[in-house]
Each structure stands twice: as C-alpha cells, then as structure tokens.
Amino acid sequence: MKKFGFLAILFIGLITLSACGARILEDEDHEYYAMGEFSEWTPAEGNLMEAIANNDDRVSSLSSELSDATYLYVLEITLTDDEGWSNTFTVDGVEVEFNGGQAVKAMRLDPEEDIQVWMPSRESGEVHNLTPDTLFMPNYVDPEGADFEEGLGDWNSDPFAFEPGTYILVYARIGNQNHIGLIPVE
C-alpha cells in the first residue's frame, strides 16, 4: 500500500510540474497581430497571433532565448518577393535590396482603446532580433539624430526576411523588451 501511495504522489507531482511548464504566456490586455504585405498591413482575424507556452514545439529552436518570456505569440506567415516596392539596407557592408513582400512587423492592439503600437516604431521602443540568420532588423535610431547612419534604417523602418518563404513569426516580451523573429517552416 505504501508503494502505491508513493507512486500516486510521484504521478501527481509529475503532472503538476508539466502543467507549470506549459503555461500560456498571454497578455490579457492586448491582442498581437503579424503585419506585412501578406496581411495588407491591417489587423484582421487572419493575422491575429496565437499566445503559446515557451515549450511549444514551434519555437523549440529558440527555447533558451524564450525561457524568461512573459508574453509569447506566433503566427505562420508566407512572405513573397513579388511586391512592387522595395527597401535597400546595408547588411555587413553590402547593399541589399529587400522586396516589400518580405517586410514584417508585429503590432500590439489595445481593443478597449483601439490604440495600435507597431513594432518596431518610435512608440514601441527598440525591438530585438531573435533570428538574425533569417531576419534583418534595422537600427533603432531617430532618423534626425546624430546616431543615424544612411543605409542602416531607423526606428520606423520595416524588418525584412532575408528570403521569401513560409515562417513562424514570433513575438516575445522578455523583461521590458520586445523581440521578434522568423523561424522557417520546413
């Protein structure tokens, strides 16, 4: 009987531990949207991001970066290279032209007040890049400031995927900082 009681307590403990690790990291005051040409730059049901736990398989490649996330959202998106506009940035000393179909941002919406905060933007604060191999993140500087360098972008510039394709767009709030990244879907 003692053996059964010990096994029951162990089983309950394991269930409790696994439930703790699977907590959905949702911001109950805001909605988060994936934005770009794929969404026509408009918050709509089809580009509403899903709150997930940091142990979700879709973000397993970023598990160490996301271990302290307080909010975590994802959405599968497809980025193209067939838009009629582009932006050019200097990446590692080389000018790279990014097609507008590869532009991405995240947006936080306060449904009560209808206040939108685009990330990155002046209002969002700096947005950090979770996936520098797949996502170009412009500099977060005032375009009129002394730190601005031509070709590196500013606080309103769009981040771009280096390649068209299907990705999981990730938004994470870690501490007091915003982060985005693109994980290729294989």
Side-chain angles (χ1 to χ4, degrees), residues 112-132:
E112 299 278 324
E113 304 287 331
D114 195 29
I115 296 173
Q116 301 174 358
V117 176
W118 292 75
M119 295 179 271
S121 69
R122 180 180 181 179
E123 297 76 22
S124 71
E126 185 173 5
V127 176
H128 300 272
N129 191 349
L130 291 167
T131 57

Side-chain angles (χ1 to χ4, degrees), residues 1 41 45 58 63 67 86 91 123 136 139 153 167 178-179:
M1 187 67 165
W41 299 100
E45 187 175 325
R58 292 172 286 184
S63 61
S67 63
S86 64
V91 180
E123 297 76 22
F136 168 76
N139 280 354
Y167 296 91
N178 296 307
H179 301 256

Side-chain angles (χ1 to χ4, degrees), residues 9-127:
I9 291 171
L10 181 63
F11 180 73
I12 291 170
L14 288 173
I15 289 175
T16 303
L17 281 175
S18 66
C20 291
R23 187 174 65 86
I24 302 298
L25 302 175
E26 181 176 13
D27 176 354
E28 294 183 10
D29 297 324
H30 300 98
E31 295 173 340
Y32 291 84
Y33 291 86
M35 303 301 274
E37 288 295 337
F38 61 88
S39 68
E40 298 179 357
W41 299 100
T42 304
E45 187 175 325
N47 58 319
L48 178 65
M49 298 180 81
E50 172 190 359
I52 62 169
N54 59 5
N55 65 350
D56 188 293
D57 287 342
R58 292 172 286 184
V59 294
S60 62
S61 62
L62 299 174
S63 61
S64 61
E65 292 91 333
L66 300 175
S67 63
D68 294 328
T70 51
Y71 305 134
L72 184 57
Y73 287 80
V74 297
L75 185 71
E76 186 173 310
I77 61 172
T78 299
L79 304 174
T80 66
D81 61 359
D82 61 0
E83 290 301 319
W85 65 276
S86 64
N87 277 345
T88 302
F89 294 99
T90 304
V91 180
D92 297 328
V94 177
E95 280 194 9
V96 177
E97 183 175 1
F98 293 97
N99 186 279
Q102 294 164 230
V104 297
K105 284 195 176 193
M107 188 191 76
R108 183 182 71 222
L109 174 66
D110 179 340
E112 299 278 324
E113 304 287 331
D114 195 29
I115 296 173
Q116 301 174 358
V117 176
W118 292 75
M119 295 179 271
S121 69
R122 180 180 181 179
E123 297 76 22
S124 71
E126 185 173 5
V127 176

